[in-house]
Amino acid sequence: MVDQFQAILKEYWGYDDFRGIQREIIESISNGTDTLGLMPTGGGKSITFQVPALAKDGVCIVITPLIALMKDQVQNLRRHGVRVAAIYTGLTRAEIIQTLENCIFGGVKLLYISPERISSELFQTKLRHMQVSFITVDEAHCISQWGYDFRPSYLHINDLRKIKPDAPVLALTATATPRVINDIQEKLSQNYAPDNGSKLKEEKPKFNVFRMSYERKNLAYRVHYSSDKYTDLVQLLNRTPGSAIVYARSRRRTKEIADILNEHNINATHFHAGLDHATKDQRQKDWQADRIRVMVATNAFGMGIDKPDVRLVAHIDCPDSLEAYFQEAGRAGRDGKHAEAVLLYNNSDAQKLTRRINDTWPEKEYIREIYNHLAYFYQIGIGSGYGHTFEFDIDKFCHNFKHFPVQVHSALNILTRTGYIDYAEENDNSARIHFLIDRNELYRLDSLTEIENDLIVVLLRNYGGVFTDYVFVDEAFLAQQIGLTLQQTYFVFTALNKRRILHFIPRKKTPFITYTKPRDDGERLIISHAVYEERKQQYTERINAIIGYAQNDEECRSRQLLRYFGEKSSHDCGQCDVCESMGPDYLCEDRLAFAKSKILELLSDGKKHNITELLSLEVKSDELDAALSYLVAEEMVILRGSWIEAKS
């Protein structure tokens, strides 16, 4: 019998039934119980909150840190006829209010927001008037200080529980160690009471925890020791047909590697967070449609990408945690067919990773020095600066005070965690326009060029409120609509700006620094043990874990990964580089155990059997021979001529 959840799944997504632990999670959150779902990349996390959101009254609040993923899911859901909305940077205040009002009056079933939006007074005010079915926290590991991607903004999620105490929480993550799992439950618990750290009231958090095995039987993990990574990457791609992703550490390297691949007739493009939205969208579409075979990218690419037939994920640079590696590698083989995840590694990678520890965690004295130099840079006296925000030119700062950007960036992040400043790296300030003439005057203009007229028509068609206030616009999208390059569109805007038809504020990416406390003397800064020593130790442990994985060529790769994520019932995979190095006669423990169990099952009736009956078992001949030899040697079975029986 088809139940309500199955009916929704069939109506909106076309699937007949759920897979894995999807149903258990859906039933748990639908019953009003706080729920934690641990599902590997490609496990179908989104279904676990989208289906119950449609089944329950009210709006489901979905918190995700990834704007690209947010937009992608919203577009996909709208194509399926789901009433869904999202609030993200670039919307006008009027658009945000309209979206929130729609949620209040029942016009929205799922509302996607970023964690930073939670602290907004406007959002919290409107939230009080909404009927909330439940709260979904995607990438829930970000709330844990023990996680590899801790984000302080996630700690405000519990504020929603105070406003909506009856709304249960569904936390979802693809990568979490046992320590992180406990921390997620603690931080999201309704009785969580932070008091200069993590501290609980008397009761323990009551979450239903559902785990899907992290094992990917179709995915072969390999580490390839490479002295010439570019050559080895080309050879790897030539012998592995199909769609592929290559992960690199820096934006510059993504372009370099893509150029090298194209020179070797391998169709590739590159992707990173610094590209404009239209370029990223187009490259992603080209790759998903197989017009581009290989995507060379930083870790900015992949979240929410639902391309099932990726046959290879290669890392030309070593990531700084097994969590990050496992999540990125897991984007291969989502269709269940054989795929490979290959880490190209050499001894210099270990040196680079170790060096990252000191780059990411400079000495406390250095951090205090950066804090003082920042005050000199902005001419801020002691006791001043509170609440002031400044654009931050890191190149100029480093030139003036003889620092290196990597360490400065790290020091500013640590100062942010201590609460002295707020360092917002590369805030993407979209272009803004405001018409300086009214609509009637605009229609009477007869001096516009054809291109200027086309741009204005597309502007008015896609953006409202441009005559009353400044509106954020996507230059790349507009360029695409009228068939111009981004630079040509910029020149058209500047021409209209000069003629006072509109005011144009170009897009730019600028870091900002806000003083969240009055400026103090650097020597008096308190950099706590929890902020510095504990976090540095965690980072060091993660670095050592990924180095250990790359250098351990004696234990099955899958077994290593599963153990790291707390799975004790792991077994050899039989397809990674370590297992294959054992030679053709090597048999995985689980396959050998399976073969033995099948033989003993056949002989469990206590009768003699002809040895030819073993051939009817669903076991490969080499596995059968090995299992039979073992059972005879251990005197568990008796073999006489062509007859076999269990030893009584």
Side-chain angles (χ1 to χ4, degrees):
M1 181 178 175
V2 177
D3 60 18
Q4 181 188 20
F5 300 134
Q6 273 183 288
I8 291 171
L9 182 70
K10 181 68 175 178
E11 179 183 352
Y12 288 94
W13 287 274
Y15 301 126
D16 292 320
D17 206 351
F18 299 100
R19 57 191 174 96
I21 58 174
Q22 288 177 330
R23 175 175 284 281
E24 290 95 321
I25 293 174
I26 289 168
E27 289 177 346
S28 175
I29 192 65
S30 296
N31 290 333
T33 307
D34 290 342
T35 304
L36 172 58
L38 305 164
M39 305 173 75
T41 302
K45 284 191 299 175
S46 58
I47 290 291
T48 63
F49 63 85
Q50 291 169 354
V51 168
L54 293 174
K56 292 174 69 68
D57 294 332
V59 58
C60 169
I61 308 292
V62 183
I63 299 160
T64 177
L66 303 155
I67 303 301
L69 173 60
M70 184 189 297
K71 291 180 178 178
D72 184 58
Q73 290 203 1
V74 167
Q75 289 173 1
N76 286 335
L77 287 168
R78 283 177 178 164
R79 280 196 291 268
H80 286 103
V82 177
R83 291 174 292 156
V84 59
I87 297 176
Y88 47 83
T89 303
L91 297 179
T92 65
R93 181 178 174 84
E95 288 171 326
I96 292 171
I97 291 174
Q98 182 180 4
T99 298
L100 294 173
E101 292 285 349
N102 285 339
C103 293
I104 292 171
F105 294 112
V108 173
K109 295 299 292 181
L110 293 108
L111 174 65
Y112 284 76
I113 63 169
S114 66
E116 291 78 16
R117 184 68 53 180
I118 295 166
S119 302
S120 159
E121 183 179 348
L122 172 62
F123 176 75
Q124 291 193 4
T125 299
K126 295 294 185 183
L127 180 66
R128 297 178 197 278
H129 301 284
M130 290 183 202
Q131 180 183 0
V132 177
S133 55
F134 61 98
I135 300 164
T136 298
V137 183
D138 200 11
E139 307 298 330
H141 60 271
C142 294
I143 203 172
S144 173
Q145 62 176 326
W146 313 113
Y148 77 101
D149 196 19
F150 173 66
R151 304 193 186 194
S153 56
Y154 262 67
L155 294 175
H156 296 297
I157 293 174
N158 215 275
D159 295 343
L160 302 186
R161 307 215 70 176
K162 296 168 187 170
I163 298 173
K164 291 292 176 182
D166 296 330
V169 164
L170 170 58
L172 298 166
T173 180
T175 47
T177 61
R179 193 178 195 181
V180 171
I181 291 168
N182 291 334
D183 207 30
I184 290 170
Q185 295 176 73
E186 187 174 289
K187 295 293 196 306
L188 289 176
S189 174
Q190 209 157 29
N191 56 336
Y192 175 64
D195 181 19
N196 297 324
S198 59
K199 187 177 179 182
L200 278 171
K201 294 177 183 176
E202 292 181 7
E203 293 182 31
K204 284 288 182 183
K206 297 176 181 176
F207 271 69
N208 279 346
V209 180
F210 299 96
R211 305 166 193 258
M212 193 171 175
S213 174
Y214 286 124
E215 183 178 15
R216 294 284 303 279
K217 292 183 179 179
N218 66 308
L219 184 55
Y221 298 100
R222 303 178 188 275
V223 175
H224 180 77
Y225 292 87
S226 173
S227 58
D228 184 352
K229 291 190 177 185
Y230 294 137
T231 299
D232 288 345
L233 178 63
V234 169
Q235 292 177 352
L236 178 63
L237 287 164
N238 280 334
R239 70 169 181 263
T240 311
S243 184
I245 306 173
V246 176
Y247 281 107
R249 179 75 181 172
S250 70
R251 296 177 181 182
R252 176 180 55 81
R253 275 174 63 74
T254 62
K255 185 178 187 309
E256 287 178 359
I257 295 163
D259 288 344
I260 289 171
L261 295 180
N262 282 307
E263 288 170 7
H264 286 82
N265 298 316
I266 297 172
N267 187 11
T269 190
H270 69 284
F271 185 105
H272 56 71
L275 299 172
D276 62 75
H277 298 307
T279 300
K280 285 191 285 191
D281 286 346
Q282 189 59 53
R283 290 182 182 181
Q284 181 176 314
K285 288 175 183 175
D286 288 344
W287 178 74
Q288 287 188 299
D290 294 322
R291 291 187 290 269
I292 294 290
R293 181 189 163 205
V294 181
M295 182 67 80
V296 185
T298 62
N299 60 7
F301 179 77
M303 285 289 187
I305 302 301
D306 189 19
K307 184 170 173 59
D309 60 344
V310 178
R311 300 273 65 87
L312 171 70
V313 171
H315 282 77
I316 199 166
D317 296 319
C318 202
D320 54 12
S321 74
L322 278 177
E323 290 96 332
Y325 177 72
F326 184 76
Q327 190 170 60
E328 290 160 9
R331 289 168 190 145
R334 292 190 183 182
D335 55 5
K337 298 177 183 177
H338 179 76
E340 294 188 8
V342 180
L343 172 62
L344 297 172
Y345 181 85
N346 57 41
N347 290 332
S348 69
D349 286 308
Q351 296 169 4
K352 291 174 185 174
L353 285 167
T354 303
R355 196 161 56 240
R356 274 184 217 167
I357 298 171
N358 291 328
D359 284 344
T360 306
W361 297 95
E363 297 296 326
K364 286 186 176 181
E365 286 308 308
Y366 179 82
I367 297 168
R368 293 187 173 99
E369 182 181 45
I370 293 297
Y371 181 79
N372 283 334
H373 286 174
L374 205 60
Y376 305 153
F377 190 58
Y378 294 122
Q379 297 293 297
I380 297 173
I382 290 177
S384 304
Y386 173 69
H388 285 78
T389 298
F390 304 90
E391 286 191 11
F392 182 61
D393 187 335
I394 192 169
D395 293 328
K396 183 178 180 182
F397 178 84
C398 290
H399 179 266
N400 287 359
F401 297 100
K402 307 297 185 288
H403 293 303
F404 292 103
V406 172
Q407 289 92 335
V408 168
H409 171 74
S410 298
L412 294 175
N413 280 328
I414 294 168
L415 287 168
T416 296
R417 294 190 195 107
T418 60
Y420 289 99
I421 65 168
D422 180 27
Y423 171 49
E425 184 194 5
E426 286 198 356
N427 271 3
D428 190 351
N429 294 328
S430 298
R432 287 179 288 167
I433 66 108
H434 175 212
F435 276 93
L436 301 176
I437 59 178
D438 63 30
R439 190 182 294 270
N440 291 330
E441 287 180 273
L442 179 63
Y443 289 152
R444 286 196 296 266
L445 284 177
D446 57 7
S447 58
L448 294 173
T449 66
E450 184 178 348
I451 291 177
E452 288 173 339
N453 187 70
D454 289 345
L455 178 58
I456 289 172
V457 168
V458 172
L459 268 174
L460 297 179
R461 187 183 300 147
N462 289 280
Y463 298 97
V466 290
F467 293 98
T468 56
D469 201 355
Y470 286 93
V471 171
F472 288 102
V473 297
D474 186 337
E475 294 168 271
F477 168 76
L478 293 168
Q480 197 175 47
Q481 291 290 300
I482 56 179
L484 298 179
T485 65
L486 194 59
Q487 188 176 30
Q488 288 171 326
T489 306
Y490 173 82
F491 287 142
V492 177
F493 269 126
T494 53
L496 293 170
N497 187 78
K498 285 179 182 177
R499 294 168 59 191
R500 304 287 297 164
I501 293 171
L502 54 75
H503 187 210
F504 171 57
I505 303 174
R507 168 183 179 257
K508 65 175 180 177
K509 288 196 168 186
T510 309
F512 285 92
I513 287 176
T514 301
Y515 276 79
T516 50
K517 290 181 180 178
R519 184 235 159 165
D520 205 342
D521 187 287
E523 296 304 313
R524 300 177 60 181
L525 294 191
I526 299 172
I527 305 173
S528 71
H529 188 271
V531 165
Y532 187 84
E533 281 83 4
E534 285 187 16
R535 296 296 307 281
K536 183 177 180 180
Q537 178 61 28
Q538 295 156 27
Y539 186 78
T540 303
E541 289 172 0
R542 287 196 292 272
I543 291 288
N544 290 337
I546 188 73
I547 293 174
Y549 169 81
Q551 294 182 346
N552 183 351
D553 56 3
E554 296 182 355
E555 184 180 13
C556 168
R557 300 290 176 198
S558 179
R559 185 191 286 270
Q560 292 182 56
L561 290 168
L562 292 173
R563 185 178 65 247
Y564 182 79
F565 290 109
E567 285 197 34
K568 296 179 181 178
S569 60
S570 57
H571 47 259
D572 290 355
C573 71
Q575 58 182 349
C576 69
D577 60 296
V578 176
C579 288
E580 288 187 346
S581 70
M582 301 293 184
D585 296 329
Y586 170 72
L587 286 177
C588 294
E589 293 176 14
D590 62 322
R591 298 212 306 256
L592 187 60
F594 177 76
K596 287 187 287 188
S597 68
K598 283 292 185 181
I599 294 172
L600 292 174
E601 183 182 331
L602 176 68
L603 304 179
S604 63
D605 59 5
K607 298 178 181 178
K608 289 183 180 181
H609 291 263
N610 192 291
I611 198 168
T612 57
E613 292 182 53
L614 298 181
L615 300 176
S616 64
L617 303 177
E618 295 178 355
V619 179
K620 293 180 180 178
S621 59
D622 58 338
E623 296 167 9
L624 197 62
D625 290 342
L628 183 58
S629 297
Y630 174 88
L631 292 172
V632 170
E634 293 295 317
E635 298 183 352
M636 297 172 70
V637 302
I638 299 169
L639 180 62
R640 293 191 180 96
S642 60
W643 294 93
I644 185 172
E645 63 181 312
K647 189 170 183 180
S648 56

